[in-house]
Amino acid sequence: MTEPGVILEAKNLLVERAGARLLDIPVFSVNKGEVLALIGPNGAGKTTLLLTLSYLMKPRAGELFFSGLRVGSGYLLSDYRRKLAMVFQEALLFDTTVYKNVASGLKFRGMRREEIQTRVTEQLELFGIGHLRDRSARTLSGGEAQRTSLARAFATSPEVLLLDEPFAALDPPTRESLVQDVEQVLRRAHTTTIITTHDRSEALRLSTRIAVMNQGRILQVGTPGEVMYHPVDEFVAAFVGIETIITGEVVRVQAGTFTVSVNGKEIEAVGNAAGGEIVTLCIRPENVTLSCDVFGSGASALNVFHGTITKITAMGLYQKVLIDCGFSLVAYLTNRSMERLALTEGQEINAAFKATGIHVMKIPQTDPAGQSPAC
C-alpha cells in the first residue's frame, strides 16, 4: 500500500536493454509537493529512471503507482500521462511561435481559448519571455528555448514535473539566471518535481530530498543534509564532495568518543565504537581549518595535525589545498584566506578539524570464508 503523502511510487522496477541491466530499483517514491533531485555519474541511470516513470521507456518488470492506484489497471496510462510534464536537456520545440509552443499542451487537453491565453501569458511572464511571444522558436537562443520548454511544462499545471538536466547545455550566466527563476517558480507552485543533475549545488539549492544513483541502483535517499554529511558508503561520500576518506582502527574508547589510528596518527571522533573495530572517517574539506600558527589549547574538540602542503589547485571562487599529515587531508580556502596566509606548495602548515565534524562509517566484518554476516 502506498504511504500517505506519496504521489508516485515504483516497486521492483527492472529495465534491461541488449542484455544490459539499466535499472534495478526495489522501491522508489516521491512525496506530493517535494522536489527530488537524482544525482550520480554518467550512466548511473538517472535519465532512464525518468523515462521509465513517464512510460516513454517500458520496464521489463515492476509496478508504478500514482496516488495509490496502479498505473495500467487502477489508473489508465493515458490519464496518468496527462498528469505529467517532462523537460529534456535539449529544448524540443515545434516550428512555430513561442506563444503557440507554450499553448500546445493546453490545446491537446481541449482547454478553452480564454483559459489558454491566461495561462500562457502568466508563464511567459514568470520565465521572462513575454517579449518573445510572437518570435519563431527557430530564432531562439539556447536559454530562451529552454525557458519556452519550461513555460510549456508549467502551463499544464502538471501533478508531477520531470526535469532531465534542464540547465546542462547552457552557459554559466544563462544557467544561473534560469536556475534562479525555476527555483522561484517551484517554490511558488509547490509542484512535485523530479530533477536529474550532475551539479551538487543545483541539487542542494532546488531539492527537498536527494537520491544518489550508480549503475542503475539508488544507493541513498535523504534530505540534502543527510546525504551531504552522512553518506552511506565511500562512493556516495566521494560523489557528494567529501574529499578526505580514510580508514583506521579504533584504539581507544571514551564516553561518547573514540580514537582511531590512521598511519600512526590518532584522530578523535564522536560516537560509539568498539576497540579493534575498523572504521572509515569522512571529513568535508570546508570543515578543515588551516593556520600558520599553533592552534590554541582552548579550541574545543579539535584534531590538530602538523603537515606539509603538497598541492594547491585553483577552483574558481575557492582553492583546494592538499596536506600530507601522515595521511592525506583536503581543505577548501577562499581566495582571500589564501592571500592572507600566503600559502605555497611545500610549506609547513597546521590543520585542524572538529571531532563532531567527522562522519564515521563502520566496515562490515566478514567471517573466515570472506562472507559478510547475514543481516
Side-chain angles (χ1 to χ4, degrees):
M1 180 179 294
T2 301
E3 294 293 328
V6 172
I7 188 172
L8 185 60
E9 183 178 26
K11 294 181 179 179
N12 302 313
L13 205 58
L14 183 64
V15 176
E16 294 181 345
R17 290 293 182 274
R21 182 161 295 186
L22 305 183
L23 279 184
D24 186 357
I25 299 178
V27 64
F28 173 80
S29 62
V30 184
N31 300 318
K32 185 175 179 61
E34 79 170 337
V35 179
L36 176 64
L38 302 177
I39 65 174
N42 288 330
K46 304 184 298 297
T47 297
T48 300
L49 179 54
L50 286 194
L51 293 174
T52 305
L53 293 175
S54 64
Y55 263 88
L56 294 175
M57 180 177 286
K58 188 176 180 180
R60 176 182 174 184
E63 298 175 301
L64 190 62
F65 297 85
F66 184 80
S67 296
L69 299 176
R70 187 175 184 274
V71 176
S73 56
Y75 211 102
L76 294 178
L77 182 56
S78 57
D79 292 337
Y80 169 66
R81 282 177 167 161
R82 291 192 186 97
K83 301 293 184 180
L84 310 180
M86 187 164 182
V87 176
F88 296 91
Q89 180 175 331
E90 297 290 340
L92 302 176
L93 300 177
F94 298 113
D95 185 14
T96 184
T97 66
V98 167
Y99 181 94
K100 290 182 178 179
N101 266 283
V102 177
S104 59
L106 304 177
K107 289 182 178 179
F108 292 151
R109 288 164 171 77
M111 196 169 290
R112 292 183 298 108
R113 175 182 291 183
E114 294 77 11
E115 188 171 356
I116 290 176
Q117 184 173 358
T118 299
R119 287 202 187 191
V120 172
T121 300
E122 179 185 22
Q123 294 303 321
L124 292 176
E125 293 304 318
L126 283 174
F127 283 98
I129 51 176
H131 62 292
L132 301 175
R133 58 183 292 134
D134 296 322
R135 177 87 67 83
S136 168
R138 284 188 173 184
T139 67
L140 300 178
S141 68
E144 291 167 344
Q146 198 64 309
R147 286 177 180 276
T148 303
S149 291
L150 287 162
R152 178 173 61 188
F154 276 100
T156 62
S157 298
E159 292 198 34
V160 178
L161 177 64
L162 308 176
L163 303 177
D164 187 25
E165 293 276 3
F167 318 116
L170 306 177
D171 60 78
T174 302
R175 182 174 185 151
E176 169 58 26
S177 174
L178 188 52
V179 170
Q180 182 175 342
D181 286 347
V182 170
E183 181 181 17
Q184 292 176 350
V185 174
L186 286 175
R187 299 293 180 260
R188 175 179 178 273
H190 302 290
T191 303
T192 305
T193 304
I194 309 173
I195 179 171
T196 71
T197 178
H198 290 89
D199 191 311
R200 291 193 300 269
S201 64
E202 285 179 4
L204 288 170
R205 184 171 174 178
L206 296 174
S207 69
T208 50
R209 283 198 304 156
I210 293 176
V212 184
M213 296 188 67
N214 190 39
Q215 297 181 342
R217 297 176 180 269
I218 294 177
L219 305 182
Q220 183 175 1
V221 182
T223 66
E226 289 169 345
V227 174
M228 296 295 287
Y229 292 96
H230 302 284
V232 295
D233 59 27
E234 290 190 30
F235 176 87
V236 175
F239 194 82
V240 300
I242 295 177
E243 300 211 40
T244 300
I245 303 173
I246 48 181
T247 299
E249 180 182 355
V250 177
V251 294
R252 191 163 53 253
V253 178
Q254 300 82 233
T257 66
F258 56 91
T259 304
V260 180
S261 177
V262 178
N263 297 336
K265 302 291 184 177
E266 293 191 347
I267 300 175
E268 302 293 325
V270 173
N272 297 311
E277 192 172 8
I278 305 300
V279 296
T280 296
L281 308 179
C282 300
I283 305 162
R284 294 199 66 87
E286 59 268 30
N287 290 342
V288 178
T289 302
L290 301 183
S291 176
C292 297
D293 302 320
V294 177
F295 285 93
S297 59
S300 63
L302 279 183
N303 290 287
V304 180
F305 299 94
H306 187 74
T308 302
I309 297 174
T310 59
K311 189 173 183 180
I312 298 174
T313 305
M315 306 293 287
L317 298 178
Y318 65 93
Q319 298 197 41
K320 181 168 75 172
V321 182
L322 179 62
I323 309 106
D324 181 1
C325 300
F327 57 90
S328 292
L329 182 66
V330 176
Y332 287 171
L333 271 73
T334 64
N335 293 326
R336 177 173 293 184
S337 295
M338 289 292 294
E339 291 176 4
R340 178 175 56 82
L341 294 171
L343 300 184
T344 59
E345 293 181 359
Q347 178 179 342
E348 293 188 356
I349 194 76
N350 293 310
F353 50 88
K354 290 186 176 182
T356 53
I358 302 173
H359 172 59
V360 181
M361 296 187 296
K362 297 187 177 183
I363 299 177
Q365 300 297 307
T366 57
D367 63 21
Q371 300 295 319
S372 298
C375 296

